[in-house]
DNA sequence: AAGGGTTTGTGCTCACAATTACAATCCTTC
DNA sequence: GAAGGATTGTAATTGTGAGCACAAACCCTT
């Protein structure tokens, strides 16, 4: 059975809310409550989960811990994923210093830059490697994910190199419509595009008037 | 007529490709070429544009400069948008130093933090203001967009304050399902969710086997 | 000025995702 | 242990967006 990508995109949301509930000591949650928590309809949640099995109990809801474990297993979050950051500029350093990846099982194990002044520096317990050695190093020490934080003009080059090294998932911050071959997964982080689409709504909805809000 | 949000989300992509073509000196482009450039079907592009008018010429294609101007006007990119950054930590500093906003008409005019050591510092030609003065300052110097780069636990608070100050567009980097009232537009940047959904595909597609790639 | 080669704009169809609605199931209480 | 209240899982329906296909329009060449 083929699961719609939109469904897969929502599952991490569910895991996050469930983690919070779990930390608060909650045992059981209904699709209703989870829905209001996330701004999603209860039916949507139930439908999404039903692609993978029957995890709830009628009349009660879902066991928080059990559902969380199931989702972790489904998404592959029950293991460690190795990541490399390419481009240790302003943004790259913020990424290296971000504490939000490790608790989710995503660990940055290599960092690369092309600037001689930066190569060899120790940042967040990582020695910055020469970008020219990318292939050599990744063949010895393979990673699952590549995080691209280099200038736009060379981003496609870097991505091509990563693909050549067998990296099958790429998170790109570069503002380009990067292309990857079949079987390689690419997600882009595009703050400028987000701003530009919001500008449309700002322009077209009069100040302090009701209008739909989207995230 | 109500235009589908997905369409609005694609328009900035088109403007970006058109800008590149314009800089290369191209006069005319077909939906076919634009499509391959962006990984979108030609029909999709034509359909999207047809919501707003008839900008092309049969047998020729679109005048790059003219279409770019039209899209800029449609999206509200033919003017300046004032932005404030809340939270000048690792990520906030990368945002303040990013050169990709200004050329698109998005200018950061205020920056706030709550850390006494940081308040008063001059970063990228901006004096960091006290987050306690947020309301006071934004009432005197209103902004169109708020960029939220504070820790998750206080992000909803900050967002509520921004809304109270009349900010109607918010770009949030905080990993929470923030809620805003009707008429306020919120976009979230969520690298961790992106990684988590890619993990599903990594886990479920065997190494070096064809599979659909999505961005 | 006519014809051939392109490419747009759009009605139509199809596919798929969201929502609705309800029978089935479970817990709790008396 | 029966009844009542709650909530799931899913079949059926609705809604919507993407792709197809073609007539209309345009350019260029001869
Ligand atoms: N800073 C932000 O908030 C932000 C926001 C959105 C997008 N981005 C994008 O992220 C990317 C990086 O932005 P930044 O602000 O950090 O820029 P930056 O100039 O500070 O950093 C770029 C880094 O890449 C390095 N580099 C250059 N060529 C390289 C190569 N071949 N291999 C490895 N490293 C190389 C440079 O030495 C530099 O350290 C850009 O594409 C930018 O558009 C940044
Ligand atoms: N660094 C990254 O690459 C990254 C990636 C994704 C998401 N995020 C998110 O972005 C946010 C910031 O991340 P960071 O890495 O920069 O963390 P950080 O701790 O370096 O920065 C947070 C900053 O917010 C300031 N702050 C605290 N309370 C404040 C308040 N009430 N008003 C204004 N400022 C306040 C702090 O003083 C600090 O300077 C977090 O929510 C994080 O989850 C960061």
């Amino acid at each position: 059975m083929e699961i719609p990508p939109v469904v897969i995109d929502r599952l991490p949301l569910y895991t996050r809310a469930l983690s919070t509930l779990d930390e608060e000591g909650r045992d059981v949650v209904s699709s209703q409550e989870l829905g209001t928590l996330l701004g999603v309809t209860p039916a949507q949640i139930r439908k999404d989960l039903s692609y993978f099995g029957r995890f709830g109990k009628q009349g009660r809801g879902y066991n928080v811990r059990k559902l969380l474990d199931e989702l972790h297993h489904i998404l592959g979050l029950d293991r460690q994923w190795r990541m490399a950051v390419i481009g240790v500029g302003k943004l790259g350093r913020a990424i290296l210093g971000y504490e939000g990846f490790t608790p989710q099982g995503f660990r940055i194990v290599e960092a690369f830059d092309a600037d001689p002044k930066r190569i060899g520096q120790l940042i967040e317990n990582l020695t910055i490697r020469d970008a020219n050695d990318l292939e050599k190093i990744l063949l010895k020490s393979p990673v699952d994910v590549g995080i691209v934080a280099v200038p736009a003009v060379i981003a496609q080059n870097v991505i091509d190199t990563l693909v050549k090294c067998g990296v099958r998932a790429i998170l790109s911050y570069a503002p380009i419509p990067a292309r990857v071959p079949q079987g390689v997964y690419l997600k882009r982080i595009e703050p400028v595009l987000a701003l530009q689409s919001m500008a449309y709504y700002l322009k077209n909805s009069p100040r302090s008037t009701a209008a739909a809000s989207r995230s």
Side-chain angles (χ1 to χ4, degrees), chain A residues 25-42:
Chain A
R26 288 288 304 279
D27 276 347
V28 178
V29 69
S30 67
S31 58
Q32 171 71 54
E33 183 180 3
L34 206 52
T36 40
L37 226 48
L38 291 169
V40 174
T41 65

Side-chain angles (χ1 to χ4, degrees), chain A residues 86-92 112-115 118 131 149-152 154 173-175 191:
Chain A
I86 329 296
V88 190
K90 294 183 287 288
L91 181 62
F112 298 87
D113 204 293
D115 186 344
R118 192 138 279 149
V150 299
I154 44 163
Y173 286 82

Side-chain angles (χ1 to χ4, degrees), chain A residues 91-101 173:
Chain A
L91 181 62
R93 285 195 299 279
I95 292 170
L96 285 182
Y98 184 46
E99 332 77 21
F101 294 130
Y173 286 82

Side-chain angles (χ1 to χ4, degrees), chain A residues 73 154 194 201 214:
Chain A
H73 180 68
I154 44 163
Y201 295 106
R214 315 233 144 250

Side-chain angles (χ1 to χ4, degrees), chain A residues 62-149:
Chain A
Y62 300 88
N63 180 296
V64 171
R65 197 49 197 261
K66 175 160 167 283
L67 183 54
L68 185 53
D69 286 346
E70 291 280 4
L71 286 176
H72 272 154
H73 180 68
I74 291 166
L75 284 169
L77 304 180
D78 50 359
R79 54 149 136 168
Q80 295 283 314
W81 296 98
R82 295 164 52 85
M83 310 199 294
V85 171
I86 329 296
V88 190
K90 294 183 287 288
L91 181 62
R93 285 195 299 279
I95 292 170
L96 285 182
Y98 184 46
E99 332 77 21
F101 294 130
T102 318
Q104 303 300 324
F106 293 89
R107 201 153 57 88
I108 300 172
V109 296
E110 298 284 355
F112 298 87
D113 204 293
D115 186 344
K117 286 195 292 288
R118 192 138 279 149
I119 297 167
Q121 275 189 2
L122 193 70
I123 301 184
E124 307 281 341
N125 284 333
L126 274 181
T127 305
I128 310 305
R129 312 290 195 125
D130 189 338
N132 289 320
D133 301 337
L134 192 69
E135 295 193 51
K136 196 170 66 187
I137 293 173
L138 287 196
L139 288 185
K140 278 189 200 155
S141 152
V143 298
D144 304 292
V145 181
I147 301 185
V148 177

